[in-house]
Amino acid sequence: MSEATIDRLVIDTPDDWHLHLRDGAALSAVLPASARQFARAIVMPNLRPPVTTTAQAMAYRERILAARAVTGPGSGFEPLMTLYLTDNTAPQEIVRARQAGVVALKLYPQGATTNSDAGVSDIRRTYRTLEAMQREGLLLLVHGEVTDPQVDLFDREAVFIERHLIALRREFPGLRVVFEHITTREGAQYVLQEDDQNLAATVTPQHLLFNRNAIFQGGLRPHYYCLPVLKGEEHRLALVAAATSGSTRFFLGTDSAPHAAVLKESSMGHAGCYTALTALELYAQVFDEAGALHHLEGFASHHGADFYRLPRNAGRVVLERRAQTVPAAVPFGDTELKPLCGGETLAWTFAGSL
Ligand code: NCD
Ligand code: ZN
């Protein structure tokens, strides 16, 4: 059967392996959308202040569960907690983290992105901690960009691989590493070529759907601005090929990163695309256009769980080929949030869980 004739997809319930849930009123505003589509999510620790200790992660988890209790549908949604790796994260903290159920640590090079000033100044300073993670079975989630001002913004991912990632993985071959939100052909090729069971990558919907022209089409469009920044078309095509190939090394991570619209539409616009509202529909569009709808379930629901060594979800969700218009704005605490593709029509619609 040609995939163009598929108008209903039933897949195992997916997970989001990279999500920013924020805190307080923002958390309450965005949690229901993710809980509706996903069973679990890897929750990013870049709050202000960042979640650097197990105690902070457990307290944050409680706040997420409290917000979840009032969302209604999706109340079984499970937040998977992470810690923010710093130069000073002690190896003993890793043991506490594992005992408490924390699954991963996030490496942000200092200054790379939103709320990353507490990030790592020199990766070698964290080596004793990485050794503990390798031993305890915690994953390392990498924001793979150098912050060297000499390096062009668009080259920062490729340079990170050369300068840091290769050496890090040679030093800790048993450490499971997720190269988060890859954006380049070099990133995709590195993951494919290594063909190592301890290396995988997440890919966002915006990096699969758009190239950097989107940021400048007819004027400056802040809602297409995220980090790592969108790249050229050759890179987008390489990401689509990798994500839709069926390779188990690639899986879904929205990097949905809500910022109040006023903060994005400013002279110093914040980085991040809000995609949680229609996450599965955006990915379905990519896989559909690539003629690879039969690989969507692996990417969205299996590869990530297998890599994290967690059970696959028991439930199923339904997607229908039915047009929907993405809301131009949604409430966000006492302000508003503009989703990616707001006001535009998507071909697929999430039709609930079975
Ligand atoms: C993220 C955010 O806003 O927290 N922004 C983004 O553009 N992706 C930070 C991040 O994940 O880099
Ligand atoms: Zn992120």
Side-chain angles (χ1 to χ4, degrees), residues 18 20 22 46 106 108 113-114 143 181 225-227 255 257 259 271-273:
H18 184 131
H20 297 271
R22 311 305 192 204
N46 65 331
K106 178 72 189 276
Y108 289 103
T113 186
T114 313
H143 182 112
H181 44 51
Y225 172 55
C226 65
L227 288 170
D255 196 17
H259 292 274
C273 298

Side-chain angles (χ1 to χ4, degrees), residues 162-242:
E162 295 300 322
R163 282 196 196 165
H164 302 296
L165 196 51
I166 291 171
L168 184 154
R169 296 195 50 254
R170 200 172 291 141
E171 198 75 28
F172 303 103
L175 178 65
R176 271 173 295 152
V177 174
V178 184
F179 194 171
E180 296 289 337
H181 44 51
I182 56 165
T183 63
T184 60
R185 186 178 51 197
E186 290 86 347
Q189 273 176 2
Y190 176 68
V191 174
L192 277 170
Q193 279 164 9
E194 290 291 292
D195 193 25
D196 180 329
Q197 60 177 4
N198 289 332
L199 176 67
T202 54
V203 196
T204 78
Q206 64 268 25
H207 292 100
L208 292 167
L209 284 166
F210 302 107
N211 64 38
R212 62 193 181 189
N213 290 352
I215 311 169
F216 308 102
Q217 203 82 53
L220 198 52
R221 293 178 178 247
H223 297 285
Y224 291 93
Y225 172 55
C226 65
L227 288 170
V229 74
L230 296 175
K231 303 299 191 296
E233 181 64 2
E234 59 175 310
H235 296 289
R236 187 188 75 83
L237 292 173
L239 297 176
V240 171

Side-chain angles (χ1 to χ4, degrees), residues 296-332:
L296 180 63
E297 183 177 45
F299 178 83
S301 316
H302 297 161
H303 303 165
D306 296 351
F307 189 79
Y308 274 81
R309 299 185 190 155
L310 292 168
R312 293 179 182 181
N313 297 315
R316 315 208 82 197
V317 300
V318 182
L319 279 156
E320 289 172 0
R321 191 188 295 281
R322 173 158 51 84
Q324 65 164 316
T325 304
V326 181
V330 294
F332 188 54

Side-chain angles (χ1 to χ4, degrees), residues 42-93:
I42 286 285
V43 180
M44 286 294 132
N46 65 331
L47 304 180
R48 258 189 206 288
V51 178
T52 55
T53 67
T54 305
Q56 286 172 323
M58 291 305 104
Y60 184 28
R61 183 170 181 277
E62 288 307 315
R63 298 196 295 279
I64 297 168
L65 296 181
R68 187 190 75 173
V70 295
T71 66
S75 57
F77 177 78
E78 188 188 349
L80 301 170
M81 306 312 292
T82 63
L83 298 189
Y84 189 113
L85 183 67
T86 74
D87 288 353
N88 305 315
T89 308
Q92 301 88 291
E93 190 64 43

Side-chain angles (χ1 to χ4, degrees), residues 5-24:
T5 64
I6 296 175
D7 55 13
R8 188 168 185 268
L9 270 178
V10 182
I11 61 171
D12 287 348
T13 304
D15 302 299
D16 186 347
W17 300 100
H18 184 131
L19 178 64
H20 297 271
L21 279 177
R22 311 305 192 204
D23 211 345

